[in-house]
């Protein structure tokens, strides 16, 4: 058993300081047992907690750390840059450099604007879509998360697919009325919504690889038809690629499926582990952003040199020949070995994977919609999770969270983690 005494003490203190003891809700370990781990350091595929325990990490700070922890190039870039100050609120050469680096290698966006988080990127892209189209309603999908943007903290109400209810207190009813909810993997309902409201709808926003409510991988036909429907009804399509961007390839899901959205939002990987977000898209749409156009959007620390240099260092690694191929192969054989174990035991579960993102689905069938996730998933995951933490494997602490294989994982660390996860799977089904 790994001791968690120090983490427990720190968490007790944190609860007197911060709401729920944390600065982002899922960190509180509400859906698994025990106090959250207080993390002291990370290096490569490993993290260490305040009790001195070492874990193989598949949370990777929720996705940004595709290179693993404490990557040499990222760390050195930050060190070099910080010698010259941290922020100027003025244009910089680094800005041009990362702008070119991205636009030269991403065929699906013409221009890009940097912000400081994924939420901010989504919020800005929605405003831009509204400003460009002069319409106000937004279609979002049940099971997709887009950060804590007011109008998007909405899920489908009972019965009617298009009648939304907020998932947070503090959201005015008037905001909810502008959000239409549609199930994933269901073109018919989407077409109905677009048909009946197209003169009011500014945009459809989707995680093309939904990875915040399980990993609800959509079919490529569905995504292509979704694109066509948006075009047909004159509605902008926003790909929220805060997770999938630079994850399943440098061009994210847009490149993976070869689908041209009108706007794309970025976060996580684009900042190399620093707080960064961005949104980009078609030239004529991006031309509406101030000061070129009249859609206001600003940020004191936007594109600060520290965040940008970390992003640059990370993105340059991703652009190296074969980066994604190697990562994909590693992830594939890791997941296949787990799948073999599951099949040998004939368990009622499987692993859904795309590139280096994976998710334990506690059902035999492929899951593409949030309402297909079996209720007992949380209980099985909770058992599995306790075993994992006690044996040195760290994942996001909820059955709804996906796992990430970082490039810092080696054949050895993946084999070791694989053995532990197999035992955890057996344990959770006994
Ligand atoms: C993480 C995430 C966000 C929010 O990004 P933050 O940096 O946490 O604000 C938005 N959309 C998607 C798809 C995400 O995964």
């Amino acid at each position: 058993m790994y001791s968690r005494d120090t983490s427990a003490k720190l968490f007790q203190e944190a609860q007197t300081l911060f709401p729920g003891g944390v600065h982002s809700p899922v960190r509180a370990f509400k859906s698994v047992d025990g106090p959250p781990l207080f993390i002291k350091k990370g290096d490569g595929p490993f993290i260490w907690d305040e009790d001195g325990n070492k874990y193989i990490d598949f949370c990777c700070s929720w996705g940004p750390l595709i290179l693993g922890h404490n990557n040499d190039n990222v760390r050195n870039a930050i060190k070099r840059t910080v010698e010259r100050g941290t922020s100027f609120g003025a244009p910089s050469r680094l800005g041009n450099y990362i702008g070119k680096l991205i636009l030269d290698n991403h065929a699906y966006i013409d221009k890009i604007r940097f912000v400081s988080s994924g939420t901010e990127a989504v919020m800005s892209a929605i405003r831009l879509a509204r400003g460009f189209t002069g319409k106000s309603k937004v279609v979002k999908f049940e099971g997709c998360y887009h950060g804590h943007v007011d109008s998007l903290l909405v899920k489908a109400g009972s019965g009617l697919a298009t009648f939304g209810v907020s998932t947070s207190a503090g959201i005015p009813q008037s905001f909810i009325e502008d959000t239409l909810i549609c199930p994933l993997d269901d073109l018919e309902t989407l077409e109905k919504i677009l048909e009946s409201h197209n003169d009011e709808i500014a945009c459809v926003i989707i995680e093309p690889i939904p990875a915040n409510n399980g990993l609800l991988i959509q079919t490529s036909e569905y995504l292509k038809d979704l694109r066509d429907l948006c075009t047909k009804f004159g509605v902008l399509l926003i790909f929220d690629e805060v997770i999938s961007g630079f994850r399943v390839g440098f061009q994210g899901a847009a490149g993976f499926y070869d689908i041209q959205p009108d706007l794309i939002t970025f976060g996580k990987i684009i900042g190399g582990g620093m707080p960064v977000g961005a949104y980009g898209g078609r030239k004529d749409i991006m031309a509406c952003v101030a000061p070129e156009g009249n859609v206001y959007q600003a940020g004191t620390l936007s594109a600060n040199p520290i965040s940008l240099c970390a992003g640059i260092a990370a993105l340059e690694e991703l652009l190296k020949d074969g980066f994604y191929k190697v990562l994909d192969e590693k992830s594939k054989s890791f997941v296949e070995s787990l799948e073999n174990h599951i099949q040998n035991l004939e368990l009622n579960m499987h692993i859904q994977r795309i590139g280096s993102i994976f998710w334990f689905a506690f059902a035999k069938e492929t899951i593409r919609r949030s309402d297909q996730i079996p209720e007992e998933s949380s209980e099985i995951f909770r058992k599995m999770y306790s075993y994992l933490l006690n044996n040195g494997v760290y994942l996001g602490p909820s059955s709804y969270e996906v796992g990430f294989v970082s490039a810092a994982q080696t054949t050895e660390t993946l084999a070791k983690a694989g053995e532990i996860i197999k035992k955890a799977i057996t344990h959770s089904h006994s």
Side-chain angles (χ1 to χ4, degrees):
M1 287 286 270
Y2 282 32
S3 161
R4 246 191 274 179
D5 294 351
T6 311
S7 283
K9 269 192 212 119
L10 289 167
F11 188 50
Q12 225 166 20
E13 182 180 48
Q15 283 171 300
T16 69
L17 303 170
F18 320 118
V22 291
H23 304 281
S24 199
V26 70
R27 295 183 193 175
F29 271 43
K30 287 282 191 195
S31 30
V32 292
D33 298 323
L37 304 185
F38 276 61
I39 305 301
K40 193 173 181 172
K41 65 167 186 178
D43 197 46
F46 304 112
I47 51 171
W48 285 261
D49 67 12
E50 290 285 351
D51 287 280
N53 305 308
K54 178 182 179 183
Y55 304 85
I56 302 175
D57 178 32
F58 293 94
C59 176
C60 297
S61 191
W62 306 97
L65 304 181
I66 191 170
L67 301 174
H69 296 273
N70 196 20
N71 175 269
D72 287 343
N73 294 346
V74 174
R75 183 185 62 251
N76 290 332
I78 294 173
K79 275 183 166 172
R80 272 197 312 271
T81 310
V82 81
E83 292 285 338
R84 301 192 294 265
T86 56
S87 180
F88 311 106
S92 73
R93 229 178 241 284
L94 278 176
N96 290 14
Y97 189 89
I98 193 170
K100 268 196 270 185
L101 188 68
I102 294 171
L103 296 179
D104 285 351
N105 291 287
H106 199 306
Y108 299 83
I109 49 173
D110 301 327
K111 272 198 174 168
I112 188 164
R113 165 69 63 91
F114 281 89
V115 294
S116 296
S117 73
T119 296
E120 207 186 335
V122 170
M123 196 179 79
S124 310
I126 297 273
R127 182 182 307 135
L128 175 55
R130 287 171 164 160
F132 179 78
T133 60
K135 300 187 276 184
S136 59
K137 288 200 193 302
V138 173
V139 177
K140 93 168 271 279
F141 295 86
E142 173 118 62
C144 285
Y145 173 70
H146 302 291
H148 61 95
V149 178
D150 276 329
S151 61
L152 299 181
L153 287 175
V154 178
K155 63 168 183 176
S158 55
L160 285 171
T162 58
F163 179 74
V165 294
S166 76
T167 52
S168 163
I171 314 270
Q173 190 58 34
S174 58
F175 286 38
I176 296 163
E177 282 161 12
D178 276 331
T179 307
L180 304 166
I181 310 292
C182 182
L184 283 164
D185 193 37
D186 179 352
L187 283 171
E188 230 170 279
T189 305
L190 179 66
E191 184 156 21
K192 267 187 213 148
I193 294 173
L194 292 177
E195 217 159 35
S196 47
H197 296 278
N198 73 321
D199 53 342
E200 305 165 282
I201 296 173
C203 62
V204 169
I205 184 165
I206 188 168
E207 281 183 85
I209 299 174
N212 279 289
N213 200 307
L215 180 61
L216 307 174
I217 303 167
Q218 302 298 294
T219 65
S220 127
E221 299 73 52
Y222 168 78
L223 292 169
K224 290 196 161 88
D225 290 346
L226 164 80
R227 167 69 274 185
D228 293 344
L229 279 179
C230 290
T231 307
K232 178 179 162 193
F233 288 103
V235 164
L236 295 187
L237 174 61
I238 303 178
F239 270 9
D240 181 355
E241 298 227 47
V242 173
I243 278 198
S244 56
F246 309 102
R247 170 58 68 177
V248 294
F250 196 87
Q251 302 183 100
F256 188 90
Y257 295 109
D258 189 22
I259 294 174
Q260 176 68 65
D262 299 295
L263 290 170
I264 306 182
T265 56
F266 302 99
K268 301 197 168 106
I269 292 175
I270 203 174
M274 295 295 287
V276 187
Y279 60 103
R282 252 167 54 195
K283 216 178 254 158
D284 60 324
I285 304 176
M286 293 303 285
C288 294
V289 178
E292 203 172 328
N294 57 5
V295 175
Y296 189 72
Q297 186 272 307
T300 303
L301 294 173
S302 289
N304 72 79
I306 311 301
S307 294
L308 291 191
C309 78
I312 291 168
L315 297 181
E316 284 184 332
E317 287 300 302
L318 308 185
L319 282 169
K320 287 184 180 161
D321 250 10
F323 176 87
Y324 288 101
K325 190 161 172 281
V326 172
L327 185 59
D328 186 65
E329 278 163 7
K330 259 188 214 177
S331 312
K332 182 164 181 264
S333 58
F334 169 65
V335 166
E336 273 175 0
S337 143
L338 298 177
E339 281 285 10
N340 286 341
H341 178 75
I342 291 166
Q343 274 158 26
N344 289 341
L345 295 180
E346 299 181 8
L347 299 175
N348 185 29
M349 68 178 284
H350 70 284
I351 299 170
Q352 305 199 166
R353 177 187 77 91
I354 183 165
S356 50
I357 317 176
F358 64 94
W359 177 59
F360 300 101
F362 297 100
K364 281 225 163 72
E365 313 73 43
T366 303
I367 298 179
R368 299 197 196 282
R369 290 165 48 152
S370 49
D371 62 359
Q372 295 165 340
I373 301 175
E375 234 173 83
E376 60 272 21
S377 302
S378 312
E379 237 359 86
I380 304 172
F381 184 84
R382 179 200 292 268
K383 269 175 108 177
M384 209 176 127
Y385 198 80
S386 292
Y387 187 95
L388 291 174
L389 278 198
N390 277 319
N391 290 276
V393 170
Y394 188 78
L395 284 169
S398 145
S399 62
Y400 293 103
E401 301 300 342
V402 297
F404 298 99
V405 176
S406 77
Q409 295 281 2
T410 63
T411 317
E412 290 73 38
T413 56
L414 287 175
K416 178 150 190 239
E419 287 318 304
I420 297 166
I421 295 171
K422 284 176 198 171
K423 287 185 188 147
I425 288 173
T426 310
H427 169 78
S428 65
H429 284 83
S430 58

